[in-house]
Amino acid sequence: MSEEHYLELCDSPVQFENASSVNNVFFDEANKQVFAVRSGGATGVVVKGPDDKNSIAFRMEDKGEVKCIKFSYENKILAVQRSPKSVDFINFMPDLPHSEFSQECKTKNATVLGFCWTSWNEIVFITDQGVEFYQVLPDKRSLKLLKSHSINVNWYVYCPETSVILLSTTVQGNVLQPFAFKCGTMSKMSKFEIELPVVTKPAKIILSERDIAVATIYGQLYVMYLKHHSRTGNNPGAEVVLYHLQREGACKRSHILKLNTTGKFALNVVDNLVIVHHQSSQTSFMFDIKMKDTDSNLNIHQPVLPARSIHPYKIALTGPAAVGSQTPVPCELYSSTWSVFQPDIIISASEGYLWYLQVKLKPVVSLLQDKSKLMEFLLRRRDCKMVILSVCSQMLSRGDKGSLPVVAIVFDKLNQVYKEYLEAEQSYTMAVECGPSRGSTAHKRPVRTQAVIDQSDMYTHVLSLFTERKDVSHKFIIAVLMEYIRSLNQFQITVQHYLYELVIKTLVQHNLLYMLHQFLQYHVLSDSKPLACLLLSLESTYPPAHQLSLDMLKRLSTANDEIVEVLLSKQQVLGALRFIRSVGGHDNISARKFLDAARQTKDQMLFYTIFRFFEQRNQRLRGSPNFTPGEHCEEHVAYFKQAFGEQAFIKPVTL
Amino acid sequence: MISPRMATGMQEKQYTPSLLNFFIYNPKFGPREGEEEKKILFYHPSDVEKNEKIRNVGLCEAIVQFTRTFCPSKPAKSLHTQKNRQFFFEPEENFWIVMVVRNPMVEKPNKEGKPPTIEYQEEEILDTVYGAVLQQCYSMYKLFNGTFARAMEAGGVELLTQKLEKFFYRYLQTLHLQSCDLLDVFGGISFFPLDKMTYLKIQSFVNRVEESLSLIKYTAFLYNDQLIWSGLEQDDMRILYKYLTTSLFPRHSEPELAGRDSPLRPEVAGNLLHYGRFLTGPSNLKDPEAKFRFPKIFVNTDDSYEELHLIVYKAMSAAVCFMISASEELGREFCEQLDGLVGPQLTLLASDICEQYNINRRVSGPDKEPQFKFIYFNHMNLAEKSTIHMRKTASVSLTSVHPDLMKILGDIHADFVRVDEDEEIIVKAMTDYWVVGKKSDQRELYVILNQKNANLIEVNEEVKRLCATQCIVTRHLNGYTQTLYLALIVSLLWNAII
């Protein structure tokens, strides 16, 4: 059963002092820092960073209850909100005065709902009457207003990744106005309306900020809306509606995630998957917006897998301070004290833990039976390589009846991604070679994700082991190898030699040489010198391999020396000579090598012919039929004289 | 029996070679005097008087015995006489097949009243060609009946004679001795030129079918009567290919050539999803009376000796042979399963191949009539190609050149067989024809060209030139055409240089 938990809390959570009457805990989504503020800061503030290593501890004056506390980027300036009207600042840069300064919101009678850092020195105040964008001047201990915008605000949501702030406006709260911030500029994006389930007569806020989250999924910004079902309708359950937020143009409703149940939900986004936690059933749903359900309308998604709870988690009994001997106890999952933050953070303030939510891929493999869907799903995940390779191994080892079409689909999916990467890499190389582009955009080297499974991965982790298996029929092994080669060819990927070698080895092992022969005949195994040599070595068990090998060498047209060697080794001295002459290489060959070979045949006339050929060559090249000492042919000259007599030599022509 | 080929002059009649006798005997079966008849297992024509049969068999036995004293390892293969030629073949120990062919002859009329003079042309027929035809007879018998020895084991002489009678009675009628030529000697396989990707798709198809219908032991794939894939070993494929292309396919080609509404066309029975149909076994699956009997073939007779059902299934121009162990019962259920699985896939594949083939053809340029005709054969993979033969049908193989030229080809080949070395022979034939034969390693190439007033050197140059231009045209084609390209090149290499 534990194999089925596909969600887990990370092993090394960030631990902090749990919230209590004297200790207030704050979380900053931008820097992913937890602030533990004791007694308003007077007895200490402890800031724990995302990896729990670089924690910061300091004290500050207790000037009233802290409502919100956040560092700017790189912990340069600390902003603290203690009153509904103003925000206080403390420099954290060395060489600058550490004393506080304060900024009141510009709009009269406005209440500051909160603030967000958008860079190391730029900050946005969100008030009930609009937004105010400031630049902090730490050396002058003052702020400069860059821009402001008046609008009635109910609440806001900030997405630090993209520096986009969503403001809830109108009476019902369902018209959302996004603003994007970048390098001192504030741009208003087009507003959009969230479709509420029912229109209630009394004018009151219906859309709650609890039901809205913003996150980037597959590089696109989405506003996620938890739409609770209306009690009156026959609606089967709640759903999550995704609105695609673009820099330009209107925000569009793009995806609907069906939950098919009701109750309290919370949202996370992990590895581009939308995770919906359901408190009453203590389970979580997982959605992949790129997964298309064939049986439903476009962009209506059912959970990828059946809902499962997060993997059980144990924590030390006495909290974070304790070390050692206490036996860990199970942590209460889906607790009502949990707070969930985007994209993947779960905080238990009462226990002093911050976890990152993680997706485990292994359990997915057994839960998702459809291999095609599974492969698509895995290829979109971050740490997928080893899981994919193990899925491939598993799929092949079972050798189920009718599994070849599935194998083909899986290979095609892998090679599609592989090909896309190769193409990106190629166009990058070409662009670099062409020099710097005229435009300002620098060429970016394509990132090789784990989903790029190349031939060497397949060979090392899957195919080489698979071909060794004794319990799988050789027919199936060859079919699989051919299927992989087919798939590579289909995507026009050059097949590596070691795959051919694997095919040949398997065929030879099972004495299927005629099959090999046919593959070569149709050039399924591409020509190469190593392959030709491999074929030559097969000649003793399969004589036609000789011709196949020679043909291949000839086609390569860069292997003339090898052809000569092969022919000489077969004592086809004349053949070798004719060949080298036909390709115009006969002026550069070693006379001794040919004469040696001719002597070995014990054929006097052949030796005579070859000797005569080289005499004529000498005459033509040097004007004399004699061999030079450098050619080391003395032995053969002597033999020629002995066999045919002095008068048989060509007479040097003297002019 | 004797058909005049053509009449030259007013009354001169020419007769082509024809089959006189065909018999099979085993000298061990009636060693004692008076029991000679027992030796004879099959005799054609059957209406020959008993004593003549015994005499003819005895004569052959004696010739073989006598010549053996000169060369025990190579017994006589043929006997030349004025009127006919006898061919001897011992396919299995002590089993002899003998074929007697009447030499071609010319009948010249004489002055009134006198009987015409008959001139036998005893040098016109080639040992290699008819020797090969005889061996093919045995191979074809073995493909459908297994070896003689096995039949003896199973049912003694009685069964064997029964089988021989049944097979050869029909087979001999299909022998057309007058149109046998070099191609019968080669017994080659024509391979379909195909690009790698389409070939891999076919591989994939074969593997999938074999995986889902695990009864299937071997598969062979053909397109346009040309081989693409064989799961059988080369020798078995060679004879199966011969059967398919000269007997089975021609018998079934007519319905396809016929129009859609022709009564010849088999019932499509509303199933328009695919064009697949069985060439062996049930002709119409929808027919409740359909028979699910398939021909049986014997392969790997040297070692594992397998008896197999031969299922031939065709969709458009693509034909697939599925071979299943004969011990399996094949019924309606299996055939429907196969039809449902293979039919749609094969239909798709066939149109893929057709499309790809047309692309290749377009790339390689317009189909120009080459200025020369050739026959190519590679002993290593049995690949053959002929631009001389127009079309093979069950009845006759049509050639586009004069029989005399065909005989020269056969003569050159016979010369090649005698020596192991690579060689080249150029022959000036009558009229303006030149015949060039080249042999290199395992390949043979024969070119016939017509050039007025050419000399030997010019012909040699011309063949070189033609080969070179022809190569450019075929460069884009894959598969064996490239092999051919190479063969042409390689053969050029062997031009004498000294």
Side-chain angles (χ1 to χ4, degrees):
Chain A
M1 195 52 193
S2 72
E3 294 308 302
E4 295 204 338
H5 301 286
Y6 50 79
L7 291 170
E8 66 180 356
L9 303 173
C10 66
D11 286 336
S12 47
V14 177
Q15 296 184 19
F16 53 88
E17 192 182 340
N18 58 318
S20 65
S21 53
V22 288
N23 185 40
N24 286 326
V25 176
F26 300 90
F27 178 65
D28 170 19
E29 289 176 82
N31 291 325
K32 311 219 177 329
Q33 286 169 326
V34 184
F35 290 76
V37 183
R38 286 183 74 90
S39 321
T43 48
V45 177
V46 178
V47 186
K48 295 271 186 138
D51 46 9
D52 199 28
K53 273 177 197 134
N54 31 13
S55 65
I56 305 166
F58 58 89
R59 283 167 201 277
M60 60 184 189
E61 268 181 79
D62 184 1
K63 290 185 181 171
E65 194 198 344
V66 173
K67 287 183 166 174
C68 185
I69 180 167
K70 288 170 184 174
F71 270 117
S72 76
Y73 293 164
E74 291 158 26
N75 302 335
K76 290 202 163 126
I77 304 163
L78 181 73
V80 189
Q81 188 196 352
R82 297 180 176 109
S83 81
K85 284 276 173 202
S86 65
V87 178
D88 306 326
F89 296 90
I90 305 166
N91 284 329
F92 264 72
M93 287 174 289
D95 312 327
L96 282 175
H98 196 70
S99 55
E100 289 187 22
F101 54 101
S102 181
Q103 175 69 44
E104 210 168 283
C105 66
K106 286 275 194 272
T107 320
K108 294 255 158 53
N109 307 321
T111 310
V112 177
L113 300 173
F115 61 86
C116 312
W117 286 103
T118 62
S119 80
W120 78 270
N121 67 344
E122 285 166 4
I123 191 164
V124 185
F125 288 6
I126 299 99
T127 71
D128 56 354
Q129 291 174 32
V131 286
E132 297 170 6
F133 185 34
Y134 293 99
Q135 184 177 34
V136 185
L137 308 166
D139 45 343
K140 292 185 183 149
R141 305 179 66 244
S142 66
L143 278 75
K144 185 176 117 190
L145 182 68
L146 295 172
K147 220 159 182 194
S148 66
H149 186 86
S150 287
I151 187 169
N152 280 325
V153 180
N154 303 313
W155 43 262
Y156 73 95
V157 178
Y158 180 49
C159 174
E161 261 180 282
T162 50
S163 299
V164 168
I165 294 173
L166 269 187
L167 304 176
S168 156
T169 66
T170 71
V171 182
Q172 291 191 322
N174 65 331
V175 175
L176 299 181
Q177 173 63 61
F179 282 94
F181 298 86
K182 199 182 174 187
C183 308
T185 63
M186 174 174 96
S187 45
K188 189 179 168 191
M189 296 160 74
S190 45
K191 65 180 176 189
F192 62 98
E193 188 178 333
I194 299 277
E195 283 169 48
L196 296 173
V198 275
V199 183
T200 42
K201 287 274 161 57
K204 60 169 187 180
I205 291 179
I206 291 168
L207 185 64
S208 146
E209 72 175 293
R210 280 202 312 269
D211 294 335
I212 290 290
V214 183
T216 32
I217 305 169
Y218 294 119
Q220 300 293 315
L221 190 59
Y222 288 94
V223 176
M224 300 186 283
Y225 164 48
L226 249 174
K227 187 175 182 180
H228 297 280
H229 91 133
S230 60
R231 282 166 213 281
T232 50
N234 305 328
N235 225 326
E239 55 193 30
V240 177
V241 184
L242 264 54
Y243 292 82
H244 186 195
L245 196 54
Q246 287 157 296
R247 294 259 157 198
E248 311 283 330
C251 180
K252 272 188 291 198
R253 199 174 81 155
S254 61
H255 298 273
I256 294 170
L257 317 179
K258 289 281 186 191
L259 298 173
N260 305 320
T261 181
T262 57
K264 259 181 95 178
F265 299 99
L267 296 169
N268 270 137
V269 172
V270 184
D271 203 1
N272 294 315
L273 295 165
V274 180
I275 310 291
V276 185
H277 305 290
H278 185 226
Q279 202 185 12
S280 52
S281 69
Q282 304 232 329
T283 56
S284 306
F285 300 92
M286 181 159 81
F287 293 91
D288 182 351
I289 59 167
K290 280 209 179 168
M291 190 169 277
K292 298 247 188 309
D293 274 317
T294 44
D295 50 343
S296 72
N297 287 333
L298 204 68
N299 293 333
I300 294 181
H301 302 267
Q302 297 294 336
V304 175
L305 298 170
R308 290 285 186 269
S309 79
I310 296 170
H311 195 278
Y313 191 86
K314 287 181 176 176
I315 51 173
L317 193 57
T318 44
V323 193
S325 58
Q326 280 87 358
T327 47
V329 294
C331 163
E332 192 198 344
L333 302 175
Y334 301 93
S335 151
S336 54
T337 63
W338 274 14
S339 314
V340 173
F341 294 92
Q342 295 317 313
D344 54 353
I345 290 161
I346 295 173
I347 291 176
S348 172
S350 60
E351 285 161 320
Y353 278 92
L354 178 151
W355 294 284
Y356 291 98
L357 187 64
Q358 295 170 337
V359 171
K360 290 200 291 179
L361 296 179
K362 273 242 164 83
V364 177
V365 173
S366 49
L367 285 170
L368 197 55
Q369 289 304 315
D370 183 334
K371 286 278 180 295
S372 160
K373 265 190 174 175
L374 172 67
M375 233 359 119
E376 282 178 16
F377 176 85
L378 290 176
L379 281 168
R380 289 192 286 261
R381 305 286 74 85
R382 204 171 38 222
D383 299 316
C384 58
K385 178 173 266 176
M386 292 322 287
V387 179
I388 289 176
L389 290 169
S390 82
V391 169
C392 289
S393 291
Q394 240 176 56
M395 166 180 85
L396 296 181
S397 68
R398 266 187 279 152
D400 298 339
K401 207 177 165 189
S403 61
L404 266 183
V406 180
V407 170
I409 291 170
V410 168
F411 285 165
D412 284 350
K413 292 206 184 299
L414 296 183
N415 287 329
Q416 167 115 41
V417 178
Y418 179 25
K419 174 66 179 174
E420 279 162 14
Y421 169 74
L422 288 178
E423 270 180 351
E425 180 79 12
Q426 197 186 9
S427 54
Y428 165 76
T429 323
M430 291 223 316
V432 168
E433 273 169 12
C434 292
S437 63
R438 261 167 280 157
S440 57
T441 47
H443 302 299
K444 248 191 168 166
R445 196 185 183 92
V447 182
R448 183 178 174 145
T449 65
Q450 285 212 6
V452 178
I453 311 274
D454 64 16
Q455 295 172 61
S456 103
D457 293 328
M458 281 302 279
Y459 177 84
T460 318
H461 298 280
V462 182
L463 297 174
S464 63
L465 303 171
F466 168 61
T467 52
E468 297 290 315
R469 290 184 73 108
K470 294 280 174 289
D471 54 339
V472 185
S473 79
H474 62 80
K475 225 174 178 175
F476 186 66
I477 291 176
I478 292 158
V480 166
L481 291 176
M482 292 314 287
E483 206 55 66
Y484 188 58
I485 289 175
R486 180 209 48 82
S487 181
L488 289 170
N489 269 293
Q490 191 157 313
F491 288 98
Q492 294 166 309
I493 300 168
T494 314
V495 181
Q496 295 295 319
H497 175 69
Y498 45 76
L499 286 178
Y500 292 145
E501 222 168 280
L502 206 55
V503 172
I504 295 175
K505 206 181 84 188
T506 312
L507 290 170
V508 170
Q509 220 165 38
H510 297 94
N511 209 24
L512 299 167
L513 294 158
Y514 188 47
M515 212 180 255
L516 169 64
H517 193 144
Q518 295 184 63
F519 290 158
L520 289 162
Q521 204 167 306
Y522 281 96
H523 301 253
V524 167
L525 313 175
S526 305
D527 296 345
S528 70
K529 266 192 213 179
L531 187 53
C533 295
L534 189 61
L535 284 172
L536 266 187
S537 70
L538 290 176
E539 195 197 342
S540 56
T541 41
Y542 190 63
H546 176 73
Q547 196 193 66
L548 289 168
S549 166
L550 268 185
D551 289 0
M552 190 176 285
L553 289 171
K554 183 71 185 73
R555 281 193 300 266
L556 286 168
S557 78
T558 54
N560 293 339
D561 294 344
E562 283 85 349
I563 293 176
V564 168
E565 291 298 333
V566 171
L567 291 174
L568 286 183
S569 74
K570 293 248 122 192
Q571 301 208 329
Q572 297 181 9
V573 189
L574 261 188
L577 198 54
R578 284 169 184 162
F579 169 74
I580 201 72
R581 211 177 83 138
S582 73
V583 296
H586 55 295
D587 284 352
N588 305 316
I589 46 171
S590 150
R592 189 194 160 100
K593 192 192 275 176
F594 279 78
L595 289 168
D596 281 348
R599 271 284 286 283
Q600 268 170 24
T601 63
K602 304 221 161 47
D603 179 344
Q604 289 271 36
M605 276 322 291
L606 180 67
F607 180 78
Y608 181 90
T609 311
I610 300 294
F611 192 89
R612 181 50 45 89
F613 173 83
F614 282 106
E615 271 190 315
Q616 285 168 348
R617 184 181 82 165
N618 294 342
Q619 177 86 52
R620 186 164 42 82
L621 294 180
R622 292 193 298 269
S624 154
N626 297 331
F627 290 91
T628 62
E631 291 180 281
H632 301 292
C633 291
E634 295 80 7
E635 181 198 339
H636 295 302
V637 173
Y639 176 78
F640 186 83
K641 189 175 161 187
Q642 180 212 322
F644 305 106
E646 184 84 45
Q647 69 285 357
F649 290 113
I650 292 183
K651 301 282 173 300
V653 187
T654 44
L655 293 170
Chain B
M1 283 301 288
I2 301 165
S3 58
R5 193 176 68 199
M6 57 176 175
T8 50
M10 274 294 279
Q11 284 107 2
E12 201 174 286
K13 273 186 178 167
Q14 187 149 14
Y15 293 89
T16 54
S18 58
L19 183 68
L20 269 185
N21 294 117
F22 186 97
F23 48 88
I24 299 165
Y25 69 90
N26 186 329
K28 301 281 176 221
F29 286 0
R32 272 186 294 259
E33 271 204 41
E35 290 180 347
E36 286 89 349
E37 201 189 355
K38 288 186 182 167
K39 293 178 187 175
I40 307 172
L41 299 167
F42 174 78
Y43 201 99
H44 166 88
S46 56
D47 54 5
V48 170
E49 200 261 321
K50 182 180 133 190
N51 282 327
E52 195 190 331
K53 287 183 186 171
I54 291 171
R55 224 174 29 241
N56 283 338
V57 168
L59 181 65
C60 291
E61 215 187 319
I63 291 166
V64 169
Q65 275 306 330
F66 173 67
T67 53
R68 216 172 230 164
T69 54
F70 300 103
C71 181
S73 60
K74 284 186 192 164
K77 283 189 179 145
S78 68
L79 176 69
H80 297 209
T81 66
Q82 188 200 12
K83 291 184 180 174
N84 57 42
R85 198 173 283 195
Q86 304 194 14
F87 297 91
F88 315 111
F89 178 46
E90 185 186 21
E92 294 175 40
E93 200 184 354
N94 290 321
F95 286 95
W96 286 86
I97 310 182
V98 179
M99 178 169 77
V100 187
V101 179
R102 183 197 293 271
N103 288 336
M105 54 191 186
V106 183
E107 202 180 75
K108 286 181 179 160
N110 281 327
K111 297 217 175 78
E112 305 96 58
K114 277 193 180 172
T117 344
I118 290 174
E119 223 173 75
Y120 288 95
Q121 299 171 316
E122 57 228 70
E123 292 311 312
E124 286 303 299
I125 63 176
L126 289 165
D127 280 351
T128 46
V129 171
Y130 291 95
V133 169
L134 184 56
Q135 291 182 21
Q136 225 169 57
C137 287
Y138 171 71
S139 299
M140 199 61 88
Y141 168 84
K142 195 179 70 172
L143 178 68
F144 291 103
N145 295 281
T147 60
F148 297 156
R150 284 285 174 131
M152 289 294 296
E153 276 168 36
V157 183
E158 207 173 317
L159 180 70
L160 179 60
T161 49
Q162 233 170 34
K163 281 182 167 231
L164 291 172
E165 195 68 48
K166 199 173 157 213
F167 177 80
F168 282 108
Y169 174 72
R170 278 182 54 190
Y171 185 74
L172 292 180
Q173 293 175 22
T174 66
L175 272 188
H176 295 274
L177 293 183
Q178 71 278 13
S179 53
C180 292
D181 59 35
L182 190 56
L183 282 196
D184 292 285
V185 179
F186 293 147
I189 294 170
S190 180
F191 286 94
F192 187 77
L194 201 60
D195 67 294
K196 175 160 60 171
M197 195 55 230
T198 317
Y199 182 78
L200 282 167
K201 274 191 202 162
I202 293 169
Q203 272 297 315
S204 182
F205 160 80
V206 169
N207 288 335
R208 281 175 195 203
V209 174
E210 286 190 2
E211 197 204 21
S212 356
L213 301 171
S214 50
L215 284 182
I216 297 171
K217 239 177 153 173
Y218 307 105
T219 308
F221 194 107
L222 296 95
Y223 189 86
N224 260 353
D225 295 3
Q226 291 173 302
L227 187 66
I228 293 177
W229 166 251
S230 162
L232 283 181
E233 286 303 312
Q234 204 178 45
D235 282 341
D236 290 322
M237 193 61 229
R238 175 187 230 169
I239 194 70
L240 179 62
Y241 179 79
K242 174 89 186 164
Y243 164 69
L244 294 173
T245 53
T246 60
S247 175
L248 185 70
F249 291 161
R251 260 188 282 145
H252 286 86
S253 65
E254 283 74 21
E256 251 160 46
L257 295 172
R260 184 168 269 273
D261 303 320
S262 154
L264 269 174
R265 198 180 167 81
E267 196 63 25
V268 186
N271 188 359
L272 289 170
L273 286 171
H274 65 80
Y275 292 104
R277 65 198 174 96
F278 289 91
L279 294 195
T280 62
S283 53
N284 184 358
L285 274 180
K286 295 284 185 291
D287 180 3
E289 305 280 286
K291 295 265 194 307
F292 298 93
R293 268 208 306 272
F294 295 94
K296 301 226 174 65
I297 59 167
F298 295 80
V299 300
N300 294 326
T301 46
D302 289 339
D303 36 58
S304 52
Y305 203 87
E306 293 169 88
E307 187 180 355
L308 306 166
H309 293 288
L310 174 66
I311 303 175
V312 184
Y313 189 90
K314 193 170 183 187
M316 307 203 275
S317 295
V320 197
C321 305
F322 298 111
M323 285 153 271
I324 295 173
S325 170
S327 57
E328 304 287 345
E329 277 300 329
L330 300 181
R332 176 180 290 278
E333 198 189 333
F334 178 81
C335 290
E336 281 175 351
Q337 200 188 350
L338 187 136
D339 185 61
L341 179 79
V342 175
Q345 287 190 60
L346 191 60
T347 306
L348 209 67
L349 205 49
S351 58
D352 266 12
I353 297 170
C354 180
E355 196 178 320
Q356 202 56 47
Y357 179 61
N358 288 335
I359 290 171
N360 280 344
R361 268 226 304 236
R362 232 172 292 135
V363 169
S364 66
D367 246 346
K368 260 191 290 176
E369 185 68 25
Q371 303 98 316
F372 64 100
K373 294 191 157 65
F374 70 88
I375 293 181
Y376 163 79
F377 181 70
N378 186 349
H379 288 274
M380 185 195 63
N381 59 359
L382 304 182
E384 85 178 10
K385 184 174 169 75
S386 166
T387 60
I388 289 169
H389 297 77
M390 320 275 242
R391 188 164 73 99
K392 272 194 216 161
T393 64
S395 53
V396 105
S397 90
L398 291 168
T399 56
S400 58
V401 301
H402 195 270
D404 291 341
L405 288 172
M406 288 311 292
K407 181 170 175 287
I408 293 174
L409 295 185
D411 282 334
I412 296 176
H413 170 73
D415 277 340
F416 286 161
V417 173
R418 269 195 285 278
V419 280
D420 282 338
E421 300 282 307
D422 296 334
E423 58 178 51
E424 174 172 324
I425 297 174
I426 302 181
V427 178
K428 168 96 167 73
M430 71 293 163
T431 61
D432 287 313
Y433 283 103
W434 287 82
V435 180
V436 182
K438 286 163 183 274
K439 177 193 175 208
S440 83
D441 196 15
Q442 301 276 304
R443 298 181 168 103
E444 290 177 35
L445 176 72
Y446 301 87
V447 181
I448 297 175
L449 63 160
N450 190 338
Q451 209 165 23
K452 274 203 162 66
N453 308 321
N455 63 31
L456 191 67
I457 295 166
E458 284 166 356
V459 167
N460 197 24
E461 287 301 313
E462 179 67 6
V463 170
K464 261 193 208 175
R465 198 181 60 76
L466 291 178
C467 288
T469 53
Q470 191 70 2
C471 295
I472 293 160
V473 171
T474 55
R475 192 177 53 204
H476 298 283
L477 291 180
N478 240 317
Y480 102 95
T481 318
Q482 265 191 17
T483 317
L484 170 63
Y485 159 65
L486 186 75
L488 295 170
I489 293 290
V490 167
S491 59
L492 288 178
L493 305 178
W494 315 114
N495 288 329
I497 57 160
I498 293 170

Coordinates of all heavy atoms in Angstrom, one line a residue, chain A residues 46 68 211 223 227 258 312 328 338 386 407 472 497 649:
Chain A
V46 N 14.1 35.2 14.3 CA 14.9 34.2 13.7 C 14.3 33.9 12.3 O 13.2 33.7 12.1 CB 14.9 32.9 14.5 CG1 15.8 31.8 13.7 CG2 15.5 33.1 15.9
C68 N 3.3 42.0 9.4 CA 3.9 41.5 8.2 C 5.3 41.8 8.2 O 5.7 42.9 8.6 CB 3.2 42.0 7.0 SG 3.7 41.3 5.5
D211 N -9.6 30.9 -2.2 CA -9.9 30.1 -3.4 C -9.1 30.5 -4.6 O -9.3 29.9 -5.7 CB -11.4 30.2 -3.7 CG -12.2 29.6 -2.6 OD1 -11.6 28.7 -1.9 OD2 -13.3 30.0 -2.4
V223 N -3.9 31.5 -13.2 CA -4.7 31.9 -12.0 C -5.6 30.7 -11.7 O -6.3 30.2 -12.6 CB -5.5 33.1 -12.2 CG1 -6.4 33.4 -10.9 CG2 -4.6 34.3 -12.4
K227 N -13.4 26.3 -7.5 CA -14.8 26.6 -7.7 C -15.6 25.6 -6.9 O -15.7 24.4 -7.3 CB -15.2 26.6 -9.2 CG -16.5 27.0 -9.5 CD -16.7 27.0 -11.0 CE -18.0 27.5 -11.5 NZ -18.1 27.5 -12.9
K258 N -11.5 18.5 -12.8 CA -12.7 18.0 -12.1 C -12.2 17.3 -10.8 O -11.4 16.4 -10.8 CB -13.4 17.0 -13.0 CG -14.0 17.6 -14.2 CD -15.4 18.2 -13.7 CE -16.1 18.7 -15.0 NZ -17.3 19.5 -14.5
P312 N 3.0 8.8 4.6 CA 3.1 9.1 6.1 C 4.4 9.6 6.5 O 5.5 9.2 5.9 CB 2.9 7.7 6.7 CG 2.1 6.9 5.7 CD 2.5 7.4 4.4
P328 N 10.6 8.9 16.8 CA 9.7 9.8 16.0 C 8.2 9.3 16.1 O 8.0 8.1 16.1 CB 10.2 9.7 14.6 CG 11.5 8.9 14.7 CD 11.5 8.1 16.0
W338 N -2.4 23.3 9.1 CA -1.5 23.5 7.9 C -1.8 24.7 7.1 O -3.0 25.0 6.9 CB -1.6 22.3 7.0 CG -0.8 21.1 7.4 CD1 -0.1 20.9 8.6 CD2 -0.5 20.0 6.6 NE1 0.5 19.7 8.6 CE2 0.3 19.1 7.3 CE3 -0.8 19.6 5.3 CZ2 0.8 17.9 6.8 CZ3 -0.3 18.4 4.8 CH2 0.5 17.5 5.6
M386 N 15.8 8.0 -14.7 CA 16.0 6.6 -14.3 C 14.6 5.8 -14.2 O 14.6 4.7 -14.5 CB 16.7 6.6 -12.9 CG 18.1 7.0 -12.9 SD 19.0 6.5 -14.4 CE 19.3 4.8 -14.0
V407 N 5.6 -1.1 -27.1 CA 7.0 -0.8 -27.1 C 7.3 0.2 -28.2 O 8.0 1.2 -28.0 CB 7.8 -2.1 -27.4 CG1 9.3 -1.8 -27.7 CG2 7.7 -3.1 -26.3
V472 N 13.8 -14.6 -22.4 CA 13.0 -13.9 -23.4 C 13.4 -14.5 -24.8 O 14.6 -14.8 -25.0 CB 13.3 -12.4 -23.4 CG1 12.4 -11.7 -24.4 CG2 13.1 -11.8 -22.0
H497 N 26.7 3.1 -33.8 CA 27.3 1.8 -34.2 C 27.0 0.7 -33.1 O 26.7 -0.4 -33.5 CB 28.8 2.0 -34.4 CG 29.4 0.7 -34.7 ND1 29.2 0.0 -35.9 CD2 30.3 -0.1 -34.0 CE1 29.9 -1.1 -35.8 NE2 30.6 -1.2 -34.7
F649 N 64.3 -8.7 -67.2 CA 64.1 -7.3 -66.7 C 63.9 -6.4 -67.8 O 64.4 -6.6 -68.9 CB 65.4 -6.9 -65.9 CG 65.6 -7.6 -64.6 CD1 66.6 -8.4 -64.4 CD2 64.7 -7.4 -63.6 CE1 66.8 -9.1 -63.2 CE2 64.8 -8.0 -62.4 CZ 65.9 -8.9 -62.2

